[in-house]
Amino acid sequence: MIEEGYAAVSSRRIASKAGLPNAIHYYFETMDDLFIELFRRGATRSLARQEEVLSSRQPLWAFWDLLLDRSNGNLNMEFIALANHRKAIRSEIAESSRTFRRGQLKALADVIETSRSSTPFGSPEAIVLLLSAVSRFLTTEDAFGLDIGHSEVTGFVEQCITEIEGERLRAAEA
Amino acid sequence: MIEEGYAAVSSRRIASKAGLPNAIHYYFETMDDLFIELFRRGATRSLARQEEVLSSRQPLWAFWDLLLDRSNGNLNMEFIALANHRKAIRSEIAESSRTFRRGQLKALADVIETSRSSTPFGSPEAIVLLLSAVSRFLTTEDAFGLDIGHSEVTGFVEQCITEIEGERLRAAEA
DNA sequence: GTCTATACCGAGATAGAC
DNA sequence: GTCTATCTCGGTATAGAC
């Protein structure tokens, strides 16, 4: 799915790559059911990872690092592309996204309150969306070899995080 | 392509929908060549539209409106998804993106200079990327029925634009 | 030069073998 | 209960008809 795109995923190839008999349609009624199961497994792990990160000493910095970590990003992009045209998968991802977003807001609302920052864009909702949007854009462009403005916007985002959460601590201190 | 995704586009269906004989492979050697031709046509029109918008009275506001206009957005998303797995298309899009980006920076660098704004994130590169990233994220989420934080981040972005370019003029004044 | 017929492949799904 | 064989469909690409 990551290497060739969702369209290249087929029951036959899965069975073949896994060295298993092609009984996919015995275990999954349709391919969508298989994709949904795959998505849920990844989402469960990612959510655990997110909660771990959001409970660290500098949740905003850690969240930003997590967003920029491409290890799940490519797969997520494929699911979004797939969901654009499959209703069942779209609603699955939408509900999952709300869960992730709620977790982010729950953790970061506390951070905002604690730090009592007076940044002009201070709502947790705006900050979370800004980080999410910028990170996704940067990683997408990276895949195309584009980098115009990347350092500038990264600098801006990290300045925002610093205003809210303070200077980034070194790994040993975090 | 927009309705069912790039994977649903085939030479047979194109000929069928157009009511033409299926001679696609006489005119295009491979499907990639066809996709690239399609992309170029759209890009040419979009670039003209961008230049028109960037030469209006309030280029930043007009640019922001253009980004949020979904009329080409869905198709672009499909091309990006397609490009993730096809080298020829990826380099085509990358080069096109650089052209768009250069046009944006050329126009907006002037705006920044003219307005002499002292915004902390003032580099044109950062602003252009911020607007691009946020608009793409918002429109993608819209398609999934997600709206948490949308009004907040929109408010933030529009506040930035206002600081740089002033209050938005009404249509009659622009 | 333009298009048709077809080769060849592999997809999802299902009937039914064991 | 598990898997295999096969049905039907539609894909890209090409050989060759006209």
Side-chain angles (χ1 to χ4, degrees), chain B residues 2-35:
Chain B
I2 294 169
E3 287 164 10
E4 300 182 41
Y6 68 83
V9 175
S10 74
S11 53
R12 282 162 129 112
R13 289 189 74 181
I14 290 170
S16 166
K17 292 257 178 190
L20 293 171
N22 186 357
I24 300 280
H25 291 291
Y26 169 67
Y27 297 100
F28 299 95
E29 198 162 344
T30 68
M31 285 301 289
D32 277 11
D33 295 325
L34 189 152
F35 279 120

PDB file of all heavy atoms in Angstrom, chain B residues 2-35:
ATOM      1  N   ILE B   2     -11.936  12.655 -10.446  1.00  0.00           N
ATOM      2  CA  ILE B   2     -12.417  13.321  -9.236  1.00  0.00           C
ATOM      3  C   ILE B   2     -13.429  12.441  -8.514  1.00  0.00           C
ATOM      4  O   ILE B   2     -13.376  12.285  -7.295  1.00  0.00           O
ATOM      5  CB  ILE B   2     -13.037  14.680  -9.581  1.00  0.00           C
ATOM      6  CG1 ILE B   2     -11.964  15.622 -10.111  1.00  0.00           C
ATOM      7  CG2 ILE B   2     -13.733  15.289  -8.374  1.00  0.00           C
ATOM      8  CD1 ILE B   2     -12.510  16.887 -10.733  1.00  0.00           C
ATOM      9  N   GLU B   3     -14.307  11.850  -9.269  1.00  0.00           N
ATOM     10  CA  GLU B   3     -15.410  11.115  -8.641  1.00  0.00           C
ATOM     11  C   GLU B   3     -14.975   9.776  -8.056  1.00  0.00           C
ATOM     12  O   GLU B   3     -15.410   9.397  -6.983  1.00  0.00           O
ATOM     13  CB  GLU B   3     -16.534  10.879  -9.662  1.00  0.00           C
ATOM     14  CG  GLU B   3     -17.314  12.140  -9.980  1.00  0.00           C
ATOM     15  CD  GLU B   3     -18.152  11.987 -11.251  1.00  0.00           C
ATOM     16  OE1 GLU B   3     -18.260  10.846 -11.746  1.00  0.00           O
ATOM     17  OE2 GLU B   3     -18.667  13.015 -11.743  1.00  0.00           O
ATOM     18  N   GLU B   4     -14.118   9.059  -8.753  1.00  0.00           N
ATOM     19  CA  GLU B   4     -13.798   7.704  -8.320  1.00  0.00           C
ATOM     20  C   GLU B   4     -12.317   7.468  -8.070  1.00  0.00           C
ATOM     21  O   GLU B   4     -11.925   6.360  -7.704  1.00  0.00           O
ATOM     22  CB  GLU B   4     -14.302   6.689  -9.361  1.00  0.00           C
ATOM     23  CG  GLU B   4     -15.809   6.757  -9.588  1.00  0.00           C
ATOM     24  CD  GLU B   4     -16.267   5.698 -10.594  1.00  0.00           C
ATOM     25  OE1 GLU B   4     -15.757   4.571 -10.523  1.00  0.00           O
ATOM     26  OE2 GLU B   4     -17.093   6.021 -11.461  1.00  0.00           O
ATOM     27  N   GLY B   5     -11.496   8.499  -8.303  1.00  0.00           N
ATOM     28  CA  GLY B   5     -10.070   8.328  -8.050  1.00  0.00           C
ATOM     29  C   GLY B   5      -9.302   7.941  -9.292  1.00  0.00           C
ATOM     30  O   GLY B   5      -9.857   7.411 -10.246  1.00  0.00           O
ATOM     31  N   TYR B   6      -7.997   8.226  -9.265  1.00  0.00           N
ATOM     32  CA  TYR B   6      -7.172   7.964 -10.439  1.00  0.00           C
ATOM     33  C   TYR B   6      -7.193   6.496 -10.854  1.00  0.00           C
ATOM     34  O   TYR B   6      -7.080   6.172 -12.028  1.00  0.00           O
ATOM     35  CB  TYR B   6      -5.730   8.420 -10.199  1.00  0.00           C
ATOM     36  CG  TYR B   6      -4.972   7.615  -9.167  1.00  0.00           C
ATOM     37  CD1 TYR B   6      -4.355   6.423  -9.503  1.00  0.00           C
ATOM     38  CD2 TYR B   6      -4.877   8.040  -7.846  1.00  0.00           C
ATOM     39  CE1 TYR B   6      -3.677   5.671  -8.563  1.00  0.00           C
ATOM     40  CE2 TYR B   6      -4.201   7.300  -6.896  1.00  0.00           C
ATOM     41  CZ  TYR B   6      -3.595   6.120  -7.261  1.00  0.00           C
ATOM     42  OH  TYR B   6      -2.933   5.380  -6.320  1.00  0.00           O
ATOM     43  N   ALA B   7      -7.344   5.620  -9.879  1.00  0.00           N
ATOM     44  CA  ALA B   7      -7.298   4.193 -10.183  1.00  0.00           C
ATOM     45  C   ALA B   7      -8.488   3.758 -11.031  1.00  0.00           C
ATOM     46  O   ALA B   7      -8.445   2.712 -11.679  1.00  0.00           O
ATOM     47  CB  ALA B   7      -7.260   3.379  -8.887  1.00  0.00           C
ATOM     48  N   ALA B   8      -9.537   4.567 -11.031  1.00  0.00           N
ATOM     49  CA  ALA B   8     -10.740   4.210 -11.796  1.00  0.00           C
ATOM     50  C   ALA B   8     -10.673   4.747 -13.223  1.00  0.00           C
ATOM     51  O   ALA B   8     -11.560   4.483 -14.030  1.00  0.00           O
ATOM     52  CB  ALA B   8     -11.987   4.739 -11.093  1.00  0.00           C
ATOM     53  N   VAL B   9      -9.621   5.516 -13.513  1.00  0.00           N
ATOM     54  CA  VAL B   9      -9.471   6.077 -14.860  1.00  0.00           C
ATOM     55  C   VAL B   9      -8.797   5.039 -15.758  1.00  0.00           C
ATOM     56  O   VAL B   9      -7.727   4.541 -15.434  1.00  0.00           O
ATOM     57  CB  VAL B   9      -8.624   7.358 -14.822  1.00  0.00           C
ATOM     58  CG1 VAL B   9      -8.375   7.869 -16.241  1.00  0.00           C
ATOM     59  CG2 VAL B   9      -9.316   8.423 -13.984  1.00  0.00           C
ATOM     60  N   SER B  10      -9.431   4.725 -16.849  1.00  0.00           N
ATOM     61  CA  SER B  10      -8.856   3.760 -17.779  1.00  0.00           C
ATOM     62  C   SER B  10      -9.125   4.223 -19.204  1.00  0.00           C
ATOM     63  O   SER B  10     -10.038   5.013 -19.453  1.00  0.00           O
ATOM     64  CB  SER B  10      -9.466   2.378 -17.565  1.00  0.00           C
ATOM     65  OG  SER B  10     -10.778   2.334 -18.060  1.00  0.00           O
ATOM     66  N   SER B  11      -8.326   3.722 -20.102  1.00  0.00           N
ATOM     67  CA  SER B  11      -8.494   4.092 -21.503  1.00  0.00           C
ATOM     68  C   SER B  11      -9.898   3.716 -21.997  1.00  0.00           C
ATOM     69  O   SER B  11     -10.546   4.478 -22.704  1.00  0.00           O
ATOM     70  CB  SER B  11      -7.429   3.405 -22.351  1.00  0.00           C
ATOM     71  OG  SER B  11      -7.435   2.017 -22.117  1.00  0.00           O
ATOM     72  N   ARG B  12     -10.353   2.552 -21.613  1.00  0.00           N
ATOM     73  CA  ARG B  12     -11.689   2.117 -22.024  1.00  0.00           C
ATOM     74  C   ARG B  12     -12.773   3.067 -21.548  1.00  0.00           C
ATOM     75  O   ARG B  12     -13.674   3.452 -22.315  1.00  0.00           O
ATOM     76  CB  ARG B  12     -11.983   0.731 -21.448  1.00  0.00           C
ATOM     77  CG  ARG B  12     -11.335  -0.405 -22.180  1.00  0.00           C
ATOM     78  CD  ARG B  12     -11.339  -1.633 -21.287  1.00  0.00           C
ATOM     79  NE  ARG B  12     -11.893  -2.808 -21.953  1.00  0.00           N
ATOM     80  CZ  ARG B  12     -11.183  -3.881 -22.283  1.00  0.00           C
ATOM     81  NH1 ARG B  12      -9.905  -3.924 -22.026  1.00  0.00           N
ATOM     82  NH2 ARG B  12     -11.755  -4.917 -22.858  1.00  0.00           N
ATOM     83  N   ARG B  13     -12.728   3.428 -20.280  1.00  0.00           N
ATOM     84  CA  ARG B  13     -13.789   4.284 -19.736  1.00  0.00           C
ATOM     85  C   ARG B  13     -13.765   5.672 -20.342  1.00  0.00           C
ATOM     86  O   ARG B  13     -14.818   6.284 -20.551  1.00  0.00           O
ATOM     87  CB  ARG B  13     -13.676   4.371 -18.207  1.00  0.00           C
ATOM     88  CG  ARG B  13     -14.053   3.085 -17.531  1.00  0.00           C
ATOM     89  CD  ARG B  13     -14.135   3.263 -16.028  1.00  0.00           C
ATOM     90  NE  ARG B  13     -15.334   3.997 -15.617  1.00  0.00           N
ATOM     91  CZ  ARG B  13     -15.618   4.302 -14.363  1.00  0.00           C
ATOM     92  NH1 ARG B  13     -14.804   3.952 -13.403  1.00  0.00           N
ATOM     93  NH2 ARG B  13     -16.722   4.960 -14.064  1.00  0.00           N
ATOM     94  N   ILE B  14     -12.574   6.195 -20.596  1.00  0.00           N
ATOM     95  CA  ILE B  14     -12.479   7.517 -21.204  1.00  0.00           C
ATOM     96  C   ILE B  14     -13.152   7.504 -22.575  1.00  0.00           C
ATOM     97  O   ILE B  14     -14.000   8.344 -22.882  1.00  0.00           O
ATOM     98  CB  ILE B  14     -11.008   7.956 -21.344  1.00  0.00           C
ATOM     99  CG1 ILE B  14     -10.422   8.242 -19.960  1.00  0.00           C
ATOM    100  CG2 ILE B  14     -10.899   9.195 -22.238  1.00  0.00           C
ATOM    101  CD1 ILE B  14      -8.922   8.454 -19.978  1.00  0.00           C
ATOM    102  N   ALA B  15     -12.769   6.516 -23.385  1.00  0.00           N
ATOM    103  CA  ALA B  15     -13.369   6.416 -24.714  1.00  0.00           C
ATOM    104  C   ALA B  15     -14.887   6.244 -24.607  1.00  0.00           C
ATOM    105  O   ALA B  15     -15.658   6.904 -25.314  1.00  0.00           O
ATOM    106  CB  ALA B  15     -12.750   5.248 -25.465  1.00  0.00           C
ATOM    107  N   SER B  16     -15.298   5.402 -23.689  1.00  0.00           N
ATOM    108  CA  SER B  16     -16.718   5.127 -23.522  1.00  0.00           C
ATOM    109  C   SER B  16     -17.497   6.371 -23.111  1.00  0.00           C
ATOM    110  O   SER B  16     -18.507   6.719 -23.718  1.00  0.00           O
ATOM    111  CB  SER B  16     -16.884   4.018 -22.478  1.00  0.00           C
ATOM    112  OG  SER B  16     -18.221   3.941 -22.054  1.00  0.00           O
ATOM    113  N   LYS B  17     -16.992   7.065 -22.072  1.00  0.00           N
ATOM    114  CA  LYS B  17     -17.678   8.275 -21.582  1.00  0.00           C
ATOM    115  C   LYS B  17     -17.737   9.351 -22.648  1.00  0.00           C
ATOM    116  O   LYS B  17     -18.705  10.105 -22.749  1.00  0.00           O
ATOM    117  CB  LYS B  17     -16.955   8.837 -20.345  1.00  0.00           C
ATOM    118  CG  LYS B  17     -17.059   7.955 -19.123  1.00  0.00           C
ATOM    119  CD  LYS B  17     -18.080   8.478 -18.128  1.00  0.00           C
ATOM    120  CE  LYS B  17     -18.194   7.523 -16.924  1.00  0.00           C
ATOM    121  NZ  LYS B  17     -19.323   7.842 -16.053  1.00  0.00           N
ATOM    122  N   ALA B  18     -16.670   9.432 -23.434  1.00  0.00           N
ATOM    123  CA  ALA B  18     -16.620  10.477 -24.458  1.00  0.00           C
ATOM    124  C   ALA B  18     -17.367  10.060 -25.720  1.00  0.00           C
ATOM    125  O   ALA B  18     -17.557  10.865 -26.625  1.00  0.00           O
ATOM    126  CB  ALA B  18     -15.169  10.801 -24.805  1.00  0.00           C
ATOM    127  N   GLY B  19     -17.816   8.812 -25.762  1.00  0.00           N
ATOM    128  CA  GLY B  19     -18.497   8.332 -26.948  1.00  0.00           C
ATOM    129  C   GLY B  19     -17.575   8.254 -28.156  1.00  0.00           C
ATOM    130  O   GLY B  19     -18.004   8.390 -29.293  1.00  0.00           O
ATOM    131  N   LEU B  20     -16.307   8.037 -27.874  1.00  0.00           N
ATOM    132  CA  LEU B  20     -15.316   7.968 -28.959  1.00  0.00           C
ATOM    133  C   LEU B  20     -14.800   6.545 -29.099  1.00  0.00           C
ATOM    134  O   LEU B  20     -14.893   5.758 -28.166  1.00  0.00           O
ATOM    135  CB  LEU B  20     -14.133   8.899 -28.639  1.00  0.00           C
ATOM    136  CG  LEU B  20     -14.425  10.396 -28.637  1.00  0.00           C
ATOM    137  CD1 LEU B  20     -13.240  11.178 -28.105  1.00  0.00           C
ATOM    138  CD2 LEU B  20     -14.798  10.847 -30.045  1.00  0.00           C
ATOM    139  N   PRO B  21     -14.241   6.215 -30.237  1.00  0.00           N
ATOM    140  CA  PRO B  21     -13.625   4.901 -30.377  1.00  0.00           C
ATOM    141  C   PRO B  21     -12.414   4.790 -29.469  1.00  0.00           C
ATOM    142  O   PRO B  21     -11.741   5.780 -29.187  1.00  0.00           O
ATOM    143  CB  PRO B  21     -13.211   4.860 -31.845  1.00  0.00           C
ATOM    144  CG  PRO B  21     -13.138   6.284 -32.268  1.00  0.00           C
ATOM    145  CD  PRO B  21     -14.171   6.994 -31.474  1.00  0.00           C
ATOM    146  N   ASN B  22     -12.136   3.599 -29.004  1.00  0.00           N
ATOM    147  CA  ASN B  22     -11.056   3.397 -28.040  1.00  0.00           C
ATOM    148  C   ASN B  22      -9.691   3.356 -28.731  1.00  0.00           C
ATOM    149  O   ASN B  22      -9.089   2.303 -28.880  1.00  0.00           O
ATOM    150  CB  ASN B  22     -11.284   2.121 -27.248  1.00  0.00           C
ATOM    151  CG  ASN B  22     -10.257   1.953 -26.150  1.00  0.00           C
ATOM    152  OD1 ASN B  22      -9.339   2.761 -26.014  1.00  0.00           O
ATOM    153  ND2 ASN B  22     -10.411   0.913 -25.365  1.00  0.00           N
ATOM    154  N   ALA B  23      -9.243   4.529 -29.132  1.00  0.00           N
ATOM    155  CA  ALA B  23      -7.936   4.621 -29.795  1.00  0.00           C
ATOM    156  C   ALA B  23      -6.952   5.390 -28.930  1.00  0.00           C
ATOM    157  O   ALA B  23      -6.003   6.013 -29.413  1.00  0.00           O
ATOM    158  CB  ALA B  23      -8.091   5.289 -31.155  1.00  0.00           C
ATOM    159  N   ILE B  24      -7.180   5.337 -27.621  1.00  0.00           N
ATOM    160  CA  ILE B  24      -6.351   6.091 -26.676  1.00  0.00           C
ATOM    161  C   ILE B  24      -4.869   5.755 -26.836  1.00  0.00           C
ATOM    162  O   ILE B  24      -4.013   6.635 -26.843  1.00  0.00           O
ATOM    163  CB  ILE B  24      -6.777   5.781 -25.221  1.00  0.00           C
ATOM    164  CG1 ILE B  24      -8.230   6.174 -25.004  1.00  0.00           C
ATOM    165  CG2 ILE B  24      -5.860   6.498 -24.240  1.00  0.00           C
ATOM    166  CD1 ILE B  24      -8.478   7.614 -24.757  1.00  0.00           C
ATOM    167  N   HIS B  25      -4.597   4.474 -27.016  1.00  0.00           N
ATOM    168  CA  HIS B  25      -3.201   4.067 -27.067  1.00  0.00           C
ATOM    169  C   HIS B  25      -2.541   4.387 -28.406  1.00  0.00           C
ATOM    170  O   HIS B  25      -1.358   4.168 -28.583  1.00  0.00           O
ATOM    171  CB  HIS B  25      -3.071   2.576 -26.747  1.00  0.00           C
ATOM    172  CG  HIS B  25      -3.388   2.277 -25.319  1.00  0.00           C
ATOM    173  ND1 HIS B  25      -2.580   2.684 -24.288  1.00  0.00           N
ATOM    174  CD2 HIS B  25      -4.442   1.668 -24.746  1.00  0.00           C
ATOM    175  CE1 HIS B  25      -3.116   2.302 -23.146  1.00  0.00           C
ATOM    176  NE2 HIS B  25      -4.252   1.694 -23.384  1.00  0.00           N
ATOM    177  N   TYR B  26      -3.333   4.885 -29.324  1.00  0.00           N
ATOM    178  CA  TYR B  26      -2.742   5.415 -30.547  1.00  0.00           C
ATOM    179  C   TYR B  26      -2.250   6.845 -30.299  1.00  0.00           C
ATOM    180  O   TYR B  26      -1.214   7.256 -30.798  1.00  0.00           O
ATOM    181  CB  TYR B  26      -3.766   5.391 -31.682  1.00  0.00           C
ATOM    182  CG  TYR B  26      -3.337   6.154 -32.902  1.00  0.00           C
ATOM    183  CD1 TYR B  26      -2.269   5.710 -33.671  1.00  0.00           C
ATOM    184  CD2 TYR B  26      -3.978   7.332 -33.256  1.00  0.00           C
ATOM    185  CE1 TYR B  26      -1.864   6.418 -34.785  1.00  0.00           C
ATOM    186  CE2 TYR B  26      -3.579   8.045 -34.373  1.00  0.00           C
ATOM    187  CZ  TYR B  26      -2.520   7.593 -35.141  1.00  0.00           C
ATOM    188  OH  TYR B  26      -2.120   8.289 -36.232  1.00  0.00           O
ATOM    189  N   TYR B  27      -2.989   7.575 -29.490  1.00  0.00           N
ATOM    190  CA  TYR B  27      -2.620   8.972 -29.222  1.00  0.00           C
ATOM    191  C   TYR B  27      -1.655   9.111 -28.041  1.00  0.00           C
ATOM    192  O   TYR B  27      -0.888  10.067 -27.980  1.00  0.00           O
ATOM    193  CB  TYR B  27      -3.881   9.802 -28.968  1.00  0.00           C
ATOM    194  CG  TYR B  27      -4.792   9.850 -30.174  1.00  0.00           C
ATOM    195  CD1 TYR B  27      -5.918   9.042 -30.262  1.00  0.00           C
ATOM    196  CD2 TYR B  27      -4.497  10.690 -31.246  1.00  0.00           C
ATOM    197  CE1 TYR B  27      -6.738   9.083 -31.383  1.00  0.00           C
ATOM    198  CE2 TYR B  27      -5.312  10.737 -32.369  1.00  0.00           C
ATOM    199  CZ  TYR B  27      -6.425   9.924 -32.437  1.00  0.00           C
ATOM    200  OH  TYR B  27      -7.217   9.963 -33.550  1.00  0.00           O
ATOM    201  N   PHE B  28      -1.748   8.196 -27.094  1.00  0.00           N
ATOM    202  CA  PHE B  28      -0.851   8.222 -25.932  1.00  0.00           C
ATOM    203  C   PHE B  28      -0.176   6.862 -25.794  1.00  0.00           C
ATOM    204  O   PHE B  28      -0.843   5.832 -25.817  1.00  0.00           O
ATOM    205  CB  PHE B  28      -1.640   8.528 -24.655  1.00  0.00           C
ATOM    206  CG  PHE B  28      -2.322   9.861 -24.685  1.00  0.00           C
ATOM    207  CD1 PHE B  28      -3.653   9.958 -25.086  1.00  0.00           C
ATOM    208  CD2 PHE B  28      -1.649  11.021 -24.337  1.00  0.00           C
ATOM    209  CE1 PHE B  28      -4.295  11.183 -25.130  1.00  0.00           C
ATOM    210  CE2 PHE B  28      -2.276  12.252 -24.376  1.00  0.00           C
ATOM    211  CZ  PHE B  28      -3.604  12.337 -24.773  1.00  0.00           C
ATOM    212  N   GLU B  29       1.133   6.911 -25.641  1.00  0.00           N
ATOM    213  CA  GLU B  29       1.860   5.652 -25.561  1.00  0.00           C
ATOM    214  C   GLU B  29       1.467   4.886 -24.296  1.00  0.00           C
ATOM    215  O   GLU B  29       1.114   3.722 -24.359  1.00  0.00           O
ATOM    216  CB  GLU B  29       3.371   5.918 -25.584  1.00  0.00           C
ATOM    217  CG  GLU B  29       4.177   4.683 -25.942  1.00  0.00           C
ATOM    218  CD  GLU B  29       5.592   5.056 -26.390  1.00  0.00           C
ATOM    219  OE1 GLU B  29       5.850   6.232 -26.709  1.00  0.00           O
ATOM    220  OE2 GLU B  29       6.442   4.171 -26.404  1.00  0.00           O
ATOM    221  N   THR B  30       1.504   5.577 -23.172  1.00  0.00           N
ATOM    222  CA  THR B  30       1.113   4.933 -21.916  1.00  0.00           C
ATOM    223  C   THR B  30       0.066   5.789 -21.204  1.00  0.00           C
ATOM    224  O   THR B  30      -0.162   6.943 -21.567  1.00  0.00           O
ATOM    225  CB  THR B  30       2.315   4.774 -20.974  1.00  0.00           C
ATOM    226  OG1 THR B  30       2.714   6.079 -20.544  1.00  0.00           O
ATOM    227  CG2 THR B  30       3.474   4.076 -21.657  1.00  0.00           C
ATOM    228  N   MET B  31      -0.515   5.242 -20.188  1.00  0.00           N
ATOM    229  CA  MET B  31      -1.496   5.983 -19.394  1.00  0.00           C
ATOM    230  C   MET B  31      -0.838   7.175 -18.698  1.00  0.00           C
ATOM    231  O   MET B  31      -1.464   8.219 -18.527  1.00  0.00           O
ATOM    232  CB  MET B  31      -2.150   5.058 -18.368  1.00  0.00           C
ATOM    233  CG  MET B  31      -3.155   4.102 -18.961  1.00  0.00           C
ATOM    234  SD  MET B  31      -4.526   4.945 -19.807  1.00  0.00           S
ATOM    235  CE  MET B  31      -5.432   5.632 -18.440  1.00  0.00           C
ATOM    236  N   ASP B  32       0.424   7.011 -18.287  1.00  0.00           N
ATOM    237  CA  ASP B  32       1.126   8.117 -17.647  1.00  0.00           C
ATOM    238  C   ASP B  32       1.199   9.334 -18.565  1.00  0.00           C
ATOM    239  O   ASP B  32       1.049  10.479 -18.112  1.00  0.00           O
ATOM    240  CB  ASP B  32       2.543   7.688 -17.232  1.00  0.00           C
ATOM    241  CG  ASP B  32       2.531   6.959 -15.893  1.00  0.00           C
ATOM    242  OD1 ASP B  32       1.432   6.611 -15.425  1.00  0.00           O
ATOM    243  OD2 ASP B  32       3.610   6.750 -15.321  1.00  0.00           O
ATOM    244  N   ASP B  33       1.435   9.098 -19.841  1.00  0.00           N
ATOM    245  CA  ASP B  33       1.494  10.214 -20.790  1.00  0.00           C
ATOM    246  C   ASP B  33       0.160  10.954 -20.827  1.00  0.00           C
ATOM    247  O   ASP B  33       0.112  12.179 -20.906  1.00  0.00           O
ATOM    248  CB  ASP B  33       1.835   9.703 -22.190  1.00  0.00           C
ATOM    249  CG  ASP B  33       3.240   9.104 -22.241  1.00  0.00           C
ATOM    250  OD1 ASP B  33       4.115   9.635 -21.541  1.00  0.00           O
ATOM    251  OD2 ASP B  33       3.442   8.114 -22.951  1.00  0.00           O
ATOM    252  N   LEU B  34      -0.901  10.201 -20.769  1.00  0.00           N
ATOM    253  CA  LEU B  34      -2.233  10.801 -20.762  1.00  0.00           C
ATOM    254  C   LEU B  34      -2.446  11.634 -19.494  1.00  0.00           C
ATOM    255  O   LEU B  34      -2.913  12.772 -19.555  1.00  0.00           O
ATOM    256  CB  LEU B  34      -3.277   9.699 -20.860  1.00  0.00           C
ATOM    257  CG  LEU B  34      -4.726  10.131 -21.082  1.00  0.00           C
ATOM    258  CD1 LEU B  34      -5.474   9.022 -21.814  1.00  0.00           C
ATOM    259  CD2 LEU B  34      -5.438  10.417 -19.773  1.00  0.00           C
ATOM    260  N   PHE B  35      -2.085  11.074 -18.359  1.00  0.00           N
ATOM    261  CA  PHE B  35      -2.232  11.790 -17.097  1.00  0.00           C
ATOM    262  C   PHE B  35      -1.409  13.077 -17.116  1.00  0.00           C
ATOM    263  O   PHE B  35      -1.855  14.129 -16.657  1.00  0.00           O
ATOM    264  CB  PHE B  35      -1.808  10.911 -15.920  1.00  0.00           C
ATOM    265  CG  PHE B  35      -2.854   9.928 -15.472  1.00  0.00           C
ATOM    266  CD1 PHE B  35      -2.612   8.560 -15.489  1.00  0.00           C
ATOM    267  CD2 PHE B  35      -4.091  10.368 -15.027  1.00  0.00           C
ATOM    268  CE1 PHE B  35      -3.584   7.657 -15.072  1.00  0.00           C
ATOM    269  CE2 PHE B  35      -5.068   9.472 -14.607  1.00  0.00           C
ATOM    270  CZ  PHE B  35      -4.810   8.105 -14.635  1.00  0.00           C
TER     271      PHE B  35
END
